[in-house]
Amino acid sequence: MAEAPTPLPPGSSIGVLGGGQLGRMLSVAASRLGLRCHVFEPGAEPPAGDVAHRVTMASYDDEAALRAFAESVDVITYEFENVPATSLDLLGSLAPIRPGRTALAVSQDRLDEKAFIADLDIPVAPHVDLGSPDDLAAALAEHGPGIVKTRRLGYDGKGQVRVTPGGDLAEATAVLTGTPTIFEALVPFEREISVIVARSLTGQVVCFDPGENVHRDGILHTTTVPARIEGATADAAAAIAARIVDAFDYVGVMGVELFVAADGDLVVNEVAPRVHNSGHWTIEGCVVDQFQQHIRAIAGWSLGDGRRHSDAVMTNLIGDDVETWQVLAAEAGAGVHLYGKGVSRPGRKMGHVTRLV
Ligand code: AMP
């Protein structure tokens, strides 16, 4: 048997690529475990900067800054998936990157991601790689209504256009002409769930209970735990998540989003190789939350058990929703989280609130 790796001791430094709210909550979790976060972020006044031990504000092509950052930390992780490959090459030559490069590269491209998951005999939405408007017409004829999605850089419903046979395809055609896209057939789901799964350096896998997700305008609105699904469906979803992290030889937390059909059949929508918005409820709902679980995993520690001690509903505060902070603060049982972002814009995640039920 391979020797167990030595866990990073308290006082060690974790490099975090990206300084948004996920980096902020990772930094808080690390500090609770006696570890320090050094955040690398190109943008000014990153939300994680308020709580991280150190911040490097530099661009991802600033080689000297990347080098100094990597040399100052014991392990590197990311909350931002679109870190350029060349930056990762340099960073990876200087410090371990966890989760590893493969999961990041595969999940950056919807087509590669679907191929990876389908190769594990896990169902994904029927899809077609679009090279031209003719491919789109053929896809619509074969599969019926669907969504044109950019292969890369799409999130929160961005880079997506709904299409129907006989409908106006001008917007979709404009998108697919400029950038690589896929057509995805509409999956007739009854509900959407996600599994937040963690895998340790020694291959221990722990799942949080699936949350049921409701989106508004393509952005997560609420996550409710437990999801309204059969126990067998929850077990099947956890088993799928475990197979995916094992196949990647993954270290850290991953969010696996799934569609649930009326008969309980599961289709994987997408995976995120990082802590996930639909796992924020774990801060109030579990002894060891997703952020601690991620830090534990990448630091080579044992994982917590992931058990939920309370049912919970997490609601995102998007854009102007954050203006209600005084009302929320007056609600004694509400776990209020504000991300310290100065300016609210429509669609911008400004905070969230978790209520135990
Ligand atoms: P995505 O960015 O791919 O997660 O898509 C955002 C949201 O759009 C999902 O959470 C679903 O609500 C919806 N959606 C995306 N793809 C599909 C699909 N193939 N069938 C039905 N709904 C979808």
Side-chain angles (χ1 to χ4, degrees), residues 95-139:
I97 301 179
R98 297 179 189 145
R101 292 287 304 279
T102 319
L104 186 63
V106 168
S107 65
Q108 280 176 342
D109 185 313
R110 287 186 191 275
L111 192 61
D112 294 347
E113 180 178 289
K114 282 187 167 38
F116 186 91
I117 294 166
D119 274 352
L120 302 174
D121 284 330
I122 297 170
V124 296
H127 58 282
V128 176
D129 185 15
L130 294 177
S132 72
D134 286 349
D135 294 341
L136 176 57

Side-chain angles (χ1 to χ4, degrees), residues 208-329:
F208 292 102
D209 288 333
E212 181 168 340
N213 300 325
V214 173
H215 293 83
R216 273 191 192 166
D217 301 325
I219 303 174
L220 183 67
H221 176 53
T222 57
T223 299
T224 303
V225 191
R228 291 166 298 163
I229 52 176
E230 301 284 338
T233 308
D235 291 346
I240 284 175
R243 271 160 66 201
I244 294 173
V245 284
D246 278 340
F248 277 123
D249 196 17
Y250 194 83
V251 179
V253 163
M254 172 183 275
V256 179
E257 296 182 35
L258 304 108
F259 299 128
V260 188
D263 61 4
D265 276 359
L266 295 167
V267 168
V268 170
N269 173 25
E270 62 181 1
V271 303
R274 52 170 170 73
V275 286
H276 196 257
N277 193 169
S278 68
H280 292 359
W281 66 270
T282 59
I283 297 176
E284 281 81 9
C286 302
V287 171
V288 175
D289 64 54
Q290 67 160 347
F291 300 97
Q292 293 222 20
Q293 202 76 308
H294 185 74
I295 297 292
R296 282 166 173 255
I298 63 167
W301 292 27
S302 299
L303 301 180
D305 65 12
R307 245 181 320 175
R308 167 180 110 252
H309 55 67
S310 302
D311 296 350
V313 180
M314 187 283 314
T315 305
N316 268 334
L317 302 174
I318 309 283
D320 285 351
D321 295 348
V322 74
E323 305 302 337
T324 63
W325 65 270
Q326 290 191 63
V327 178
L328 296 170

Side-chain angles (χ1 to χ4, degrees), residues 64-85:
L66 288 169
R67 199 174 279 282
F69 168 77
E71 282 167 351
S72 77
V73 299
D74 299 293
V75 62
I76 296 173
T77 191
Y78 43 87
E79 59 114 63
F80 169 74
E81 283 145 276
N82 294 309
V83 182

Side-chain angles (χ1 to χ4, degrees), residues 110 125-126 147 149 154-158 160 162 184-189 192 215 218-219 257 259 269-270:
R110 287 186 191 275
I147 307 178
K149 300 183 178 183
Y155 66 95
D156 286 347
K158 293 191 174 68
Q160 301 195 7
R162 296 228 168 197
E184 238 183 78
L186 271 195
V187 176
F189 60 83
E192 293 186 77
H215 293 83
I219 303 174
E257 296 182 35
F259 299 128
N269 173 25
E270 62 181 1

